[in-house]
Amino acid sequence: MTIKDIYHGNRVPIDVRFDKDSKYVGLSKEWLKLHDEFKAMLTDEQNKLFNKLCDIQGEQTTISDERSYKQGFRDGAELVLDILNGGD
């Protein structure tokens, strides 16, 4: 991925996929299995509440991921500037 790719929207970080054998994918599969088992035990009203909790958690994760991405980009840019300005 290059800056040109990012600029033209050809490649965005969300497009990067995890290896199917990665720990992340394994945890995702386990989460989905447990999620389905748990939801099967709930009443309709409890399912609505649980879905709302999952939605809120998803929104929080998105906000946190965006913040971390921006901060990582800023940190990288700061390092480049420090190097260009003769820093250690």
Side-chain angles (χ1 to χ4, degrees):
M1 177 172 17
T2 66
I3 293 173
K4 185 176 179 180
D5 288 331
I6 295 170
Y7 176 80
H8 290 288
N10 296 331
R11 192 87 193 265
V12 292
I14 199 72
D15 288 339
V16 179
R17 302 286 181 224
F18 288 94
D19 181 355
K20 66 179 180 172
D21 297 322
S22 70
K23 183 175 181 177
Y24 182 89
V25 170
L27 290 171
S28 292
K29 288 178 182 178
E30 183 179 357
W31 188 91
L32 285 171
K33 179 181 174 272
L34 293 172
H35 174 269
D36 291 343
E37 289 175 14
F38 183 71
K39 285 190 63 132
M41 298 185 312
L42 302 176
T43 65
D44 286 343
E45 198 61 35
Q46 290 169 327
N47 262 306
K48 288 177 187 176
L49 182 60
F50 180 64
N51 286 335
K52 188 171 182 173
L53 286 168
C54 288
D55 289 344
I56 290 170
Q57 180 65 51
E59 286 182 50
Q60 286 179 311
T61 299
T62 297
I63 291 167
S64 177
D65 288 351
E66 288 173 356
R67 185 177 183 177
S68 294
Y69 179 79
K70 287 183 210 176
Q71 188 59 49
F73 195 88
R74 285 185 184 109
D75 290 347
E78 189 175 329
L79 285 171
V80 169
L81 288 173
D82 188 46
I83 291 168
L84 292 173
N85 290 325
D88 296 340

